[in-house]
Each structure stands twice: as C-alpha cells, then as structure tokens.
Amino acid sequence: SILQEFRHSKGRMTPREAFFSPIKKVLADEAVGELSAETICPYPPGIPVLLPGEEITEAVISELRNVVESGGSVVGAEDTSLKSFLVIDH
C-alpha cells in the first residue's frame, strides 16, 4: 500500500536542507529516483506520502495517480495532474 511505501522511502536530505535547495520541474518519468521538493498528500487518506528530501519512486507516482483516478485529490503538488514534479536540483 502507499503507506507501506512511505514508511520505506529513503530520505537522503533533511526537509530543511531540501527547503533551502535549488529546485527544478521535471516530467513524472524523469522524477523517479530524484528527491522531492514538495510535500505531497493524497486525500484520502490525508497522510503525506512525499516530504521534501525523500526519494520519488515509481510506486509512489502510481499510487498518487490511482488516488486521482479514483476521484480523490492530491494536495501540495504544484502540478495536480501529476504530469510533473518539483525536485531538488543537485
């Protein structure tokens, strides 16, 4: 489930470091393996699945899309269509 994926995600940068880092916008396919610059929260369930500094995985993107396709919403993503993501520009 998305919550299990969240629990096992790898934060490689603290949220504070990520907040003050340069960012860039990339297409969803290019975001896999990058570090998120956004706090992204699907509703339902209303629990963040990506925090700044955490690695974006294919599973997370897939689950976020499933929430939207099922009539839910995603809060915190600049692009609510999930075609692109803000990532840390290292």
Side-chain angles (χ1 to χ4, degrees), residues 51-79:
L51 296 172
E54 290 187 328
E55 184 176 346
I56 299 171
T57 66
E58 288 182 42
V60 167
I61 293 173
S62 176
E63 286 296 326
L64 288 169
R65 287 180 174 159
N66 286 339
V67 167
V68 172
E69 290 169 4
S70 299
S73 61
V74 174
V75 177
E78 182 184 80
D79 179 0

PDB file of all heavy atoms in Angstrom, residues 51-79:
ATOM      1  N   LEU A  51       7.729  13.849   1.311  1.00  0.00           N
ATOM      2  CA  LEU A  51       8.185  15.045   2.007  1.00  0.00           C
ATOM      3  C   LEU A  51       9.434  15.555   1.298  1.00  0.00           C
ATOM      4  O   LEU A  51      10.141  14.777   0.646  1.00  0.00           O
ATOM      5  CB  LEU A  51       8.508  14.735   3.471  1.00  0.00           C
ATOM      6  CG  LEU A  51       7.335  14.288   4.335  1.00  0.00           C
ATOM      7  CD1 LEU A  51       7.831  13.821   5.705  1.00  0.00           C
ATOM      8  CD2 LEU A  51       6.321  15.405   4.480  1.00  0.00           C
ATOM      9  N   PRO A  52       9.737  16.832   1.422  1.00  0.00           N
ATOM     10  CA  PRO A  52      10.960  17.344   0.804  1.00  0.00           C
ATOM     11  C   PRO A  52      12.183  16.549   1.261  1.00  0.00           C
ATOM     12  O   PRO A  52      12.354  16.274   2.452  1.00  0.00           O
ATOM     13  CB  PRO A  52      11.020  18.786   1.290  1.00  0.00           C
ATOM     14  CG  PRO A  52       9.592  19.153   1.521  1.00  0.00           C
ATOM     15  CD  PRO A  52       8.969  17.895   2.067  1.00  0.00           C
ATOM     16  N   GLY A  53      12.996  16.143   0.290  1.00  0.00           N
ATOM     17  CA  GLY A  53      14.214  15.383   0.584  1.00  0.00           C
ATOM     18  C   GLY A  53      14.053  13.889   0.448  1.00  0.00           C
ATOM     19  O   GLY A  53      15.031  13.155   0.508  1.00  0.00           O
ATOM     20  N   GLU A  54      12.816  13.404   0.228  1.00  0.00           N
ATOM     21  CA  GLU A  54      12.602  11.969   0.080  1.00  0.00           C
ATOM     22  C   GLU A  54      12.640  11.569  -1.392  1.00  0.00           C
ATOM     23  O   GLU A  54      12.238  12.327  -2.271  1.00  0.00           O
ATOM     24  CB  GLU A  54      11.264  11.556   0.686  1.00  0.00           C
ATOM     25  CG  GLU A  54      11.267  11.655   2.193  1.00  0.00           C
ATOM     26  CD  GLU A  54      10.013  11.088   2.800  1.00  0.00           C
ATOM     27  OE1 GLU A  54       8.939  11.161   2.185  1.00  0.00           O
ATOM     28  OE2 GLU A  54      10.124  10.574   3.923  1.00  0.00           O
ATOM     29  N   GLU A  55      13.098  10.346  -1.616  1.00  0.00           N
ATOM     30  CA  GLU A  55      13.211   9.838  -2.976  1.00  0.00           C
ATOM     31  C   GLU A  55      11.843   9.537  -3.574  1.00  0.00           C
ATOM     32  O   GLU A  55      10.987   8.921  -2.933  1.00  0.00           O
ATOM     33  CB  GLU A  55      14.058   8.567  -2.984  1.00  0.00           C
ATOM     34  CG  GLU A  55      14.310   8.029  -4.363  1.00  0.00           C
ATOM     35  CD  GLU A  55      15.235   6.828  -4.371  1.00  0.00           C
ATOM     36  OE1 GLU A  55      15.893   6.566  -3.351  1.00  0.00           O
ATOM     37  OE2 GLU A  55      15.299   6.167  -5.408  1.00  0.00           O
ATOM     38  N   ILE A  56      11.636   9.958  -4.801  1.00  0.00           N
ATOM     39  CA  ILE A  56      10.399   9.684  -5.532  1.00  0.00           C
ATOM     40  C   ILE A  56      10.557   8.338  -6.220  1.00  0.00           C
ATOM     41  O   ILE A  56      11.533   8.107  -6.926  1.00  0.00           O
ATOM     42  CB  ILE A  56      10.123  10.785  -6.573  1.00  0.00           C
ATOM     43  CG1 ILE A  56       9.971  12.140  -5.881  1.00  0.00           C
ATOM     44  CG2 ILE A  56       8.881  10.443  -7.398  1.00  0.00           C
ATOM     45  CD1 ILE A  56       9.916  13.320  -6.837  1.00  0.00           C
ATOM     46  N   THR A  57       9.585   7.452  -5.995  1.00  0.00           N
ATOM     47  CA  THR A  57       9.631   6.115  -6.605  1.00  0.00           C
ATOM     48  C   THR A  57       8.477   5.948  -7.589  1.00  0.00           C
ATOM     49  O   THR A  57       7.488   6.683  -7.549  1.00  0.00           O
ATOM     50  CB  THR A  57       9.528   5.008  -5.535  1.00  0.00           C
ATOM     51  OG1 THR A  57       8.228   5.084  -4.927  1.00  0.00           O
ATOM     52  CG2 THR A  57      10.618   5.143  -4.480  1.00  0.00           C
ATOM     53  N   GLU A  58       8.611   4.958  -8.466  1.00  0.00           N
ATOM     54  CA  GLU A  58       7.533   4.640  -9.407  1.00  0.00           C
ATOM     55  C   GLU A  58       6.269   4.260  -8.653  1.00  0.00           C
ATOM     56  O   GLU A  58       5.162   4.626  -9.060  1.00  0.00           O
ATOM     57  CB  GLU A  58       7.954   3.493 -10.329  1.00  0.00           C
ATOM     58  CG  GLU A  58       8.985   3.876 -11.361  1.00  0.00           C
ATOM     59  CD  GLU A  58       9.329   2.709 -12.276  1.00  0.00           C
ATOM     60  OE1 GLU A  58       8.403   1.968 -12.689  1.00  0.00           O
ATOM     61  OE2 GLU A  58      10.517   2.557 -12.585  1.00  0.00           O
ATOM     62  N   ALA A  59       6.430   3.532  -7.549  1.00  0.00           N
ATOM     63  CA  ALA A  59       5.270   3.087  -6.763  1.00  0.00           C
ATOM     64  C   ALA A  59       4.498   4.272  -6.190  1.00  0.00           C
ATOM     65  O   ALA A  59       3.262   4.272  -6.198  1.00  0.00           O
ATOM     66  CB  ALA A  59       5.719   2.155  -5.646  1.00  0.00           C
ATOM     67  N   VAL A  60       5.208   5.282  -5.712  1.00  0.00           N
ATOM     68  CA  VAL A  60       4.541   6.458  -5.154  1.00  0.00           C
ATOM     69  C   VAL A  60       3.773   7.198  -6.249  1.00  0.00           C
ATOM     70  O   VAL A  60       2.610   7.571  -6.065  1.00  0.00           O
ATOM     71  CB  VAL A  60       5.551   7.389  -4.448  1.00  0.00           C
ATOM     72  CG1 VAL A  60       4.928   8.740  -4.152  1.00  0.00           C
ATOM     73  CG2 VAL A  60       6.055   6.754  -3.161  1.00  0.00           C
ATOM     74  N   ILE A  61       4.399   7.404  -7.395  1.00  0.00           N
ATOM     75  CA  ILE A  61       3.721   8.092  -8.502  1.00  0.00           C
ATOM     76  C   ILE A  61       2.489   7.304  -8.929  1.00  0.00           C
ATOM     77  O   ILE A  61       1.415   7.866  -9.137  1.00  0.00           O
ATOM     78  CB  ILE A  61       4.686   8.315  -9.686  1.00  0.00           C
ATOM     79  CG1 ILE A  61       5.779   9.317  -9.297  1.00  0.00           C
ATOM     80  CG2 ILE A  61       3.918   8.803 -10.914  1.00  0.00           C
ATOM     81  CD1 ILE A  61       6.876   9.481 -10.333  1.00  0.00           C
ATOM     82  N   SER A  62       2.614   6.004  -9.036  1.00  0.00           N
ATOM     83  CA  SER A  62       1.496   5.151  -9.432  1.00  0.00           C
ATOM     84  C   SER A  62       0.342   5.255  -8.438  1.00  0.00           C
ATOM     85  O   SER A  62      -0.824   5.396  -8.828  1.00  0.00           O
ATOM     86  CB  SER A  62       1.972   3.704  -9.556  1.00  0.00           C
ATOM     87  OG  SER A  62       0.906   2.847  -9.843  1.00  0.00           O
ATOM     88  N   GLU A  63       0.653   5.187  -7.165  1.00  0.00           N
ATOM     89  CA  GLU A  63      -0.395   5.262  -6.145  1.00  0.00           C
ATOM     90  C   GLU A  63      -1.059   6.638  -6.124  1.00  0.00           C
ATOM     91  O   GLU A  63      -2.278   6.736  -5.959  1.00  0.00           O
ATOM     92  CB  GLU A  63       0.160   4.915  -4.764  1.00  0.00           C
ATOM     93  CG  GLU A  63       0.444   3.452  -4.570  1.00  0.00           C
ATOM     94  CD  GLU A  63      -0.804   2.577  -4.630  1.00  0.00           C
ATOM     95  OE1 GLU A  63      -1.890   3.024  -4.197  1.00  0.00           O
ATOM     96  OE2 GLU A  63      -0.697   1.450  -5.122  1.00  0.00           O
ATOM     97  N   LEU A  64      -0.279   7.695  -6.308  1.00  0.00           N
ATOM     98  CA  LEU A  64      -0.862   9.034  -6.365  1.00  0.00           C
ATOM     99  C   LEU A  64      -1.824   9.147  -7.543  1.00  0.00           C
ATOM    100  O   LEU A  64      -2.930   9.690  -7.423  1.00  0.00           O
ATOM    101  CB  LEU A  64       0.235  10.097  -6.472  1.00  0.00           C
ATOM    102  CG  LEU A  64       1.061  10.335  -5.212  1.00  0.00           C
ATOM    103  CD1 LEU A  64       2.267  11.211  -5.526  1.00  0.00           C
ATOM    104  CD2 LEU A  64       0.219  10.968  -4.113  1.00  0.00           C
ATOM    105  N   ARG A  65      -1.425   8.605  -8.669  1.00  0.00           N
ATOM    106  CA  ARG A  65      -2.299   8.627  -9.851  1.00  0.00           C
ATOM    107  C   ARG A  65      -3.563   7.812  -9.616  1.00  0.00           C
ATOM    108  O   ARG A  65      -4.653   8.190 -10.048  1.00  0.00           O
ATOM    109  CB  ARG A  65      -1.543   8.120 -11.076  1.00  0.00           C
ATOM    110  CG  ARG A  65      -0.535   9.118 -11.586  1.00  0.00           C
ATOM    111  CD  ARG A  65       0.203   8.610 -12.789  1.00  0.00           C
ATOM    112  NE  ARG A  65       1.064   9.649 -13.340  1.00  0.00           N
ATOM    113  CZ  ARG A  65       2.096   9.406 -14.116  1.00  0.00           C
ATOM    114  NH1 ARG A  65       2.405   8.165 -14.452  1.00  0.00           N
ATOM    115  NH2 ARG A  65       2.839  10.404 -14.564  1.00  0.00           N
ATOM    116  N   ASN A  66      -3.429   6.679  -8.933  1.00  0.00           N
ATOM    117  CA  ASN A  66      -4.603   5.852  -8.611  1.00  0.00           C
ATOM    118  C   ASN A  66      -5.596   6.617  -7.743  1.00  0.00           C
ATOM    119  O   ASN A  66      -6.807   6.500  -7.941  1.00  0.00           O
ATOM    120  CB  ASN A  66      -4.193   4.559  -7.914  1.00  0.00           C
ATOM    121  CG  ASN A  66      -3.557   3.559  -8.848  1.00  0.00           C
ATOM    122  OD1 ASN A  66      -3.731   3.621 -10.063  1.00  0.00           O
ATOM    123  ND2 ASN A  66      -2.800   2.634  -8.286  1.00  0.00           N
ATOM    124  N   VAL A  67      -5.096   7.385  -6.792  1.00  0.00           N
ATOM    125  CA  VAL A  67      -5.977   8.183  -5.932  1.00  0.00           C
ATOM    126  C   VAL A  67      -6.767   9.177  -6.776  1.00  0.00           C
ATOM    127  O   VAL A  67      -7.984   9.301  -6.643  1.00  0.00           O
ATOM    128  CB  VAL A  67      -5.166   8.916  -4.833  1.00  0.00           C
ATOM    129  CG1 VAL A  67      -6.006   9.978  -4.140  1.00  0.00           C
ATOM    130  CG2 VAL A  67      -4.626   7.925  -3.813  1.00  0.00           C
ATOM    131  N   VAL A  68      -6.071   9.885  -7.669  1.00  0.00           N
ATOM    132  CA  VAL A  68      -6.727  10.881  -8.525  1.00  0.00           C
ATOM    133  C   VAL A  68      -7.741  10.213  -9.450  1.00  0.00           C
ATOM    134  O   VAL A  68      -8.874  10.687  -9.605  1.00  0.00           O
ATOM    135  CB  VAL A  68      -5.684  11.699  -9.312  1.00  0.00           C
ATOM    136  CG1 VAL A  68      -6.353  12.589 -10.343  1.00  0.00           C
ATOM    137  CG2 VAL A  68      -4.835  12.528  -8.359  1.00  0.00           C
ATOM    138  N   GLU A  69      -7.353   9.092 -10.071  1.00  0.00           N
ATOM    139  CA  GLU A  69      -8.249   8.388 -10.987  1.00  0.00           C
ATOM    140  C   GLU A  69      -9.475   7.825 -10.283  1.00  0.00           C
ATOM    141  O   GLU A  69     -10.519   7.618 -10.898  1.00  0.00           O
ATOM    142  CB  GLU A  69      -7.494   7.271 -11.709  1.00  0.00           C
ATOM    143  CG  GLU A  69      -6.482   7.792 -12.711  1.00  0.00           C
ATOM    144  CD  GLU A  69      -5.533   6.727 -13.237  1.00  0.00           C
ATOM    145  OE1 GLU A  69      -5.695   5.530 -12.887  1.00  0.00           O
ATOM    146  OE2 GLU A  69      -4.616   7.098 -13.990  1.00  0.00           O
ATOM    147  N   SER A  70      -9.363   7.592  -8.981  1.00  0.00           N
ATOM    148  CA  SER A  70     -10.478   7.066  -8.189  1.00  0.00           C
ATOM    149  C   SER A  70     -11.364   8.172  -7.622  1.00  0.00           C
ATOM    150  O   SER A  70     -12.256   7.896  -6.826  1.00  0.00           O
ATOM    151  CB  SER A  70      -9.943   6.204  -7.037  1.00  0.00           C
ATOM    152  OG  SER A  70      -9.220   5.116  -7.541  1.00  0.00           O
ATOM    153  N   GLY A  71     -11.080   9.418  -8.004  1.00  0.00           N
ATOM    154  CA  GLY A  71     -11.902  10.527  -7.549  1.00  0.00           C
ATOM    155  C   GLY A  71     -11.345  11.291  -6.364  1.00  0.00           C
ATOM    156  O   GLY A  71     -11.965  12.234  -5.890  1.00  0.00           O
ATOM    157  N   GLY A  72     -10.186  10.879  -5.879  1.00  0.00           N
ATOM    158  CA  GLY A  72      -9.546  11.590  -4.775  1.00  0.00           C
ATOM    159  C   GLY A  72      -8.792  12.804  -5.281  1.00  0.00           C
ATOM    160  O   GLY A  72      -8.868  13.157  -6.460  1.00  0.00           O
ATOM    161  N   SER A  73      -8.063  13.426  -4.386  1.00  0.00           N
ATOM    162  CA  SER A  73      -7.280  14.602  -4.775  1.00  0.00           C
ATOM    163  C   SER A  73      -5.882  14.514  -4.168  1.00  0.00           C
ATOM    164  O   SER A  73      -5.633  13.727  -3.267  1.00  0.00           O
ATOM    165  CB  SER A  73      -7.981  15.883  -4.309  1.00  0.00           C
ATOM    166  OG  SER A  73      -8.103  15.881  -2.906  1.00  0.00           O
ATOM    167  N   VAL A  74      -5.012  15.350  -4.701  1.00  0.00           N
ATOM    168  CA  VAL A  74      -3.634  15.419  -4.209  1.00  0.00           C
ATOM    169  C   VAL A  74      -3.365  16.861  -3.818  1.00  0.00           C
ATOM    170  O   VAL A  74      -3.558  17.776  -4.609  1.00  0.00           O
ATOM    171  CB  VAL A  74      -2.632  14.948  -5.290  1.00  0.00           C
ATOM    172  CG1 VAL A  74      -1.205  15.152  -4.824  1.00  0.00           C
ATOM    173  CG2 VAL A  74      -2.872  13.493  -5.633  1.00  0.00           C
ATOM    174  N   VAL A  75      -2.941  17.048  -2.579  1.00  0.00           N
ATOM    175  CA  VAL A  75      -2.652  18.376  -2.056  1.00  0.00           C
ATOM    176  C   VAL A  75      -1.132  18.537  -1.951  1.00  0.00           C
ATOM    177  O   VAL A  75      -0.433  17.602  -1.581  1.00  0.00           O
ATOM    178  CB  VAL A  75      -3.300  18.555  -0.661  1.00  0.00           C
ATOM    179  CG1 VAL A  75      -2.958  19.900  -0.070  1.00  0.00           C
ATOM    180  CG2 VAL A  75      -4.800  18.361  -0.750  1.00  0.00           C
ATOM    181  N   GLY A  76      -0.652  19.714  -2.273  1.00  0.00           N
ATOM    182  CA  GLY A  76       0.763  20.023  -2.101  1.00  0.00           C
ATOM    183  C   GLY A  76       1.584  19.937  -3.365  1.00  0.00           C
ATOM    184  O   GLY A  76       2.680  20.472  -3.431  1.00  0.00           O
ATOM    185  N   ALA A  77       1.071  19.253  -4.374  1.00  0.00           N
ATOM    186  CA  ALA A  77       1.792  19.149  -5.642  1.00  0.00           C
ATOM    187  C   ALA A  77       1.507  20.397  -6.466  1.00  0.00           C
ATOM    188  O   ALA A  77       0.353  20.787  -6.622  1.00  0.00           O
ATOM    189  CB  ALA A  77       1.363  17.905  -6.408  1.00  0.00           C
ATOM    190  N   GLU A  78       2.561  21.006  -6.979  1.00  0.00           N
ATOM    191  CA  GLU A  78       2.351  22.166  -7.842  1.00  0.00           C
ATOM    192  C   GLU A  78       1.524  21.778  -9.070  1.00  0.00           C
ATOM    193  O   GLU A  78       0.656  22.529  -9.511  1.00  0.00           O
ATOM    194  CB  GLU A  78       3.690  22.762  -8.282  1.00  0.00           C
ATOM    195  CG  GLU A  78       3.502  23.997  -9.144  1.00  0.00           C
ATOM    196  CD  GLU A  78       4.796  24.563  -9.669  1.00  0.00           C
ATOM    197  OE1 GLU A  78       5.326  24.027 -10.659  1.00  0.00           O
ATOM    198  OE2 GLU A  78       5.259  25.537  -9.069  1.00  0.00           O
ATOM    199  N   ASP A  79       1.782  20.592  -9.597  1.00  0.00           N
ATOM    200  CA  ASP A  79       1.057  20.091 -10.759  1.00  0.00           C
ATOM    201  C   ASP A  79       0.110  18.986 -10.295  1.00  0.00           C
ATOM    202  O   ASP A  79       0.511  17.835 -10.141  1.00  0.00           O
ATOM    203  CB  ASP A  79       2.048  19.558 -11.799  1.00  0.00           C
ATOM    204  CG  ASP A  79       1.379  18.996 -13.033  1.00  0.00           C
ATOM    205  OD1 ASP A  79       0.129  19.005 -13.109  1.00  0.00           O
ATOM    206  OD2 ASP A  79       2.112  18.542 -13.929  1.00  0.00           O
TER     207      ASP A  79
END
